[in-house]
Amino acid sequence: MNIVLSGVKPTGIPTLGNYLGALKNFVKLQNEMTDYEFFIFIADLHAITIPQDPKELRANIRNLAALYLACGLNKERLTLFIQSEVSAHIEMGNVMQSLSYMGELERMTQFKDKMIKNPNGVTAALFTYPALMAADILLYDAKFVPVGDDQKQHLELTRDLANRFNNRFGDTFQVPEILLTKVGARIKDLQDPSKKMSKSDDSQSKGCIYLLDPLNVIKKKIKSAVTDSEAIVRYDVENKPGISNLMTIYSAITNLSFSEIEKKYEGKGYGDFKGDLAEIVAEEIGKVQEKYNQIINSKELDEILNQGRERATQIATRKIHKIYHKLGIGRF
Ligand code: AMP
Ligand code: TRP
């Protein structure tokens, strides 16, 4: 069976941006790609490339797993697991490091950006992060990898490494293809629509909706979102970034087009529009929270993660032994 695989870092509580840009998209892909198996893992080894508080990290890992399930992924066609529980990722990461050149890793824009911002804070693991990411993907011979465009360069490196290995040691890896998450669903900060809604924001932030915010807080954040003085519901990112962002959220949840939304609110002010949007978002997130609350402390969540660990370990261990054999190391 062909595999679609993606990883998510458990840093912070996911936002409405993550939900509309990533989580909801997985559910859509799973419904569309019916003859694919889905592998989703919590990339906790990637998270520790920058300092984390262990207590928070442990909670974030569990929250994220529960939120993925709460979004409506079909458990029957899903392998959900925690990266650090499948030790072949580290083993394969080491193989990929042996295959990567310093120059290649130095060219990664994510690394370069962090180096400019805080050169003393860049760990060796942050530098080799793309080799571990290639390992995550190649271990399972994933055919498609759905990610945002910020991960495009890492995916290209993964393809280079797969081809390099295949050329040197014979056909071993499926060369994966990127499945770019459709843009358009780039949700902006509600208080400052010039920047992306991001989970690294302060948790008190009024501009960022977290999936675990109480529903009344979510409604309040939407009602106090920054707009403009024209008071006409019209999509115009350049001149009306605030209302356009709110329309993007409206459209992503209801599937109404921008012109349909404009028509619906013709002659009405922002108050009506925001009031409706607040209800729509609260209803959607409310459903996710309801399922989340059922699952977060349940045995079922551990069972799903145990099954995921077993299935992933089985595939990944077989693969790493094959690779060690090809490399001539160990006695495999
Ligand atoms: P991050 O929170 O940056 O680790 O991103 C995790 C996933 O959520 C990636 O696939 C991003 O493309 C997506 N994502 C993050 N923030 C947003 C946003 N504001 N709007 C849409 N998608 C987002
Ligand atoms: N690097 C990805 C991110 O920052 C997360 C990730 C780690 C990943 N390993 C992966 C994504 C493998 C897809 C496939 O968002």
Side-chain angles (χ1 to χ4, degrees):
M1 196 156 202
N2 285 319
I3 288 178
V4 177
L5 172 140
S6 198
V8 217
K9 273 184 300 177
T11 44
I13 305 281
T15 67
L16 181 66
N18 294 128
Y19 175 74
L20 296 176
L23 280 85
K24 205 171 153 71
N25 189 48
F26 279 124
V27 179
K28 193 165 157 262
L29 286 176
Q30 210 196 27
N31 292 338
E32 286 167 3
M33 302 172 78
T34 46
D35 39 353
Y36 283 80
E37 235 187 288
F38 277 68
F39 279 57
I40 294 177
F41 66 92
I42 316 290
D44 54 351
L45 291 169
H46 284 272
I48 59 163
T49 56
I50 44 178
Q52 303 286 340
D53 174 75
K55 240 169 108 181
E56 264 175 41
L57 182 58
R58 190 170 290 117
N60 284 339
I61 292 169
R62 199 172 170 88
N63 281 345
L64 193 55
L67 278 169
Y68 265 87
L69 291 169
C71 286
L73 285 160
N74 176 356
K75 286 176 276 180
E76 305 305 316
R77 279 172 46 231
L78 173 70
T79 298
L80 180 70
F81 67 99
I82 301 172
Q83 184 188 27
S84 61
E85 295 186 358
V86 181
S87 52
H89 284 251
I90 287 291
E91 296 168 317
M92 179 70 163
N94 196 65
V95 172
M96 288 297 124
Q97 280 184 42
S98 311
L99 212 63
S100 319
Y101 294 104
M102 294 286 285
E104 281 175 320
L105 296 175
E106 276 164 359
R107 276 199 295 278
M108 295 291 127
T109 45
Q110 215 166 61
F111 163 73
K112 283 200 290 193
D113 287 352
K114 293 210 163 118
M115 209 55 194
I116 291 168
K117 272 190 210 146
N118 180 14
N120 295 323
V122 173
T123 61
L126 189 70
F127 179 62
T128 57
Y129 179 125
L132 181 59
M133 178 160 165
D136 300 334
I137 298 167
L138 300 180
L139 267 179
Y140 301 92
D141 288 304
K143 193 159 170 139
F144 291 110
V145 181
V147 280
D149 56 2
D150 58 330
Q151 299 300 314
K152 211 167 152 185
Q153 211 185 12
H154 294 158
L155 242 292
E156 272 153 22
L157 176 73
T158 304
R159 290 168 57 87
D160 287 346
L161 294 175
N163 283 320
R164 190 172 303 158
F165 195 102
N166 287 348
N167 289 336
R168 277 196 207 160
F169 303 101
D171 212 16
T172 310
F173 295 120
Q174 161 90 43
V175 182
E177 278 171 50
I178 186 167
L179 209 60
L180 266 190
T181 315
K182 292 201 182 48
V183 260
R186 275 267 150 232
I187 308 302
K188 301 290 180 16
D189 188 284
L190 300 178
Q191 292 297 320
D192 176 5
S194 68
K195 64 173 208 181
K196 169 177 127 162
M197 185 184 283
S198 168
K199 61 188 170 190
S200 45
D201 289 342
D202 171 8
S203 60
Q204 302 305 314
S205 162
K206 278 166 53 188
C208 180
I209 292 180
Y210 293 93
L211 292 186
L212 298 178
D213 275 346
L215 297 182
N216 63 335
V217 172
I218 292 181
K219 289 185 195 172
K220 212 149 119 206
K221 285 180 178 175
I222 290 186
K223 286 183 185 160
S224 54
V226 166
T227 45
D228 54 73
S229 56
E230 199 189 37
I232 296 174
V233 178
R234 184 165 52 84
Y235 189 79
D236 177 351
V237 179
E238 196 114 308
N239 300 308
K240 295 160 73 74
I243 197 76
S244 301
N245 183 41
L246 295 179
M247 286 175 76
T248 303
I249 297 172
Y250 198 114
S251 168
I253 297 178
T254 61
N255 289 321
L256 288 180
S257 69
F258 294 138
S259 57
E260 284 168 329
I261 298 169
E262 283 168 2
K263 223 170 183 171
K264 192 167 170 179
Y265 290 95
E266 218 172 73
K268 294 186 185 166
Y270 290 155
D272 284 343
F273 173 79
K274 282 182 175 176
D276 287 354
L277 180 63
E279 293 304 321
I280 289 168
V281 174
E283 196 191 324
E284 175 98 355
I285 302 302
K287 278 190 262 176
V288 174
Q289 288 186 357
E290 210 174 292
K291 283 200 205 142
Y292 168 88
N293 287 329
Q294 285 165 7
I295 205 165
I296 184 68
N297 293 316
S298 72
K299 269 210 192 106
E300 194 196 358
L301 177 57
D302 284 299
E303 278 161 15
I304 290 170
L305 288 171
N306 289 347
Q307 276 167 19
R309 178 183 59 200
E310 270 160 43
R311 176 143 172 73
T313 300
Q314 199 185 30
I315 298 175
T317 308
R318 203 182 301 145
K319 191 79 184 176
I320 192 73
H321 288 172
K322 198 167 153 189
I323 291 156
Y324 281 179
H325 174 76
K326 292 213 171 187
L327 289 166
I329 60 176
R331 290 175 294 140
F332 298 98

